[in-house]
Amino acid sequence: YHKKLATSPKSLVPALFGIVQGGREESLRKRSAEFIGNLDFDGFGIGGSFDKEDLHTAVRWVNEILPEEKPRHLLGIGEPEYLFLGVENGCDTFDCVAPTRLGRHGTVYTRDGKIHIGKVIYQEDLGPIDSDCQCYACKNYTRAYICHLYKSREMLGPMLCSIHNLYFIVNLVKSMRLALIANDFQKFKSDFLAKYKK
């Protein structure tokens, strides 16, 4: 992490990241990583349009070149299965609009996969969005009530769905970090993905 933050933890010091681009072309990606990696940035962002295959190739290509001691941020990745692939290929942090975009449209993450809260089956469901979740929405509202809010076009519905989705993703990454520390990442990944359906 940032050198200045280590010496002065009470003051916030902005970090400047260099962005690696190059699309799906290996030579361009590597040239970009070599150039950006030799500059004195605090960390690196890996940009581009990614799908599952790219996380095994384009991301790996650049992370083999970028300095290991500096953080790597993967831009635009937010789906759980892609987060696992990003971590496996050397990324430390992520950002994506998916949790809030899905939440605005009534789709929420659960340990069993995504559900659409506006469906008829949730109209009388008195359970939380996800029984394993401790977010504000799950602790205070039922699926039935959030379904009602969504169908009534009440702004609180999309807000609660977004709160839940952000909490879900942040805690998933926190669990990945703990699994890495415990040297148990592959088991955690396989257990999670075996239950999670896209």
Side-chain angles (χ1 to χ4, degrees):
Y1 295 108
H2 198 279
K3 297 175 285 224
K4 293 178 184 174
L5 284 176
T7 57
S8 57
K10 292 185 180 178
S11 62
L12 295 177
V13 180
L16 185 62
F17 278 36
I19 308 300
V20 176
Q21 293 287 358
R24 292 179 167 92
E25 175 59 44
E26 183 175 2
S27 63
L28 292 176
R29 281 267 171 198
K30 288 183 173 180
R31 275 179 56 201
S32 180
E34 285 166 5
F35 180 81
I36 297 294
N38 284 318
L39 299 176
D40 189 26
F41 285 109
D42 300 305
F44 303 95
I46 302 169
S49 175
F50 296 106
D51 60 25
K52 194 173 185 177
E53 290 73 31
D54 293 328
L55 292 171
H56 286 299
T57 55
V59 174
R60 182 175 41 82
W61 294 333
V62 301
N63 278 338
E64 288 174 351
I65 295 169
L66 294 173
E68 286 185 21
E69 70 278 5
K70 293 186 177 181
R72 296 100 177 263
H73 179 84
L74 190 54
L75 295 129
I77 295 296
E79 291 295 334
E81 59 273 23
Y82 287 2
L83 293 173
F84 281 103
L85 290 172
V87 168
E88 283 179 322
N89 286 283
C91 295
D92 303 296
T93 58
F94 312 87
D95 74 278
C96 191
V97 300
T100 52
R101 182 178 57 211
L102 291 171
R104 285 196 311 272
H105 297 286
T107 299
V108 288
Y109 297 113
T110 75
R111 294 284 172 183
D112 298 314
K114 289 184 278 197
I115 64 169
H116 191 279
I117 204 71
K119 288 187 174 178
V120 173
I121 57 171
Y122 302 119
Q123 285 182 346
E124 296 182 14
D125 188 335
L126 298 180
I129 295 171
D130 189 334
S131 58
D132 292 333
C133 185
Q134 294 298 308
C135 78
Y136 174 80
C138 288
K139 285 173 28 175
N140 293 285
Y141 298 93
T142 65
R143 286 180 173 184
Y145 185 64
I146 298 172
C147 177
H148 158 72
L149 292 171
Y150 180 76
K151 287 182 172 256
S152 302
R153 298 178 184 248
E154 290 285 348
M155 194 63 202
L156 180 59
M159 289 172 65
L160 292 172
C161 291
S162 295
I163 287 168
H164 166 79
N165 283 348
L166 288 168
Y167 186 96
F168 183 92
I169 292 296
V170 167
N171 279 276
L172 175 59
V173 174
K174 186 186 295 183
S175 296
M176 287 184 201
R177 185 182 308 117
L178 294 173
L180 284 167
I181 292 168
N183 201 26
D184 202 23
F185 179 80
Q186 289 303 326
K187 183 178 185 312
F188 175 71
K189 175 190 171 185
S190 60
D191 289 349
F192 179 89
L193 292 178
K195 193 175 179 187
Y196 183 83
K197 299 170 191 67
K198 296 178 193 177

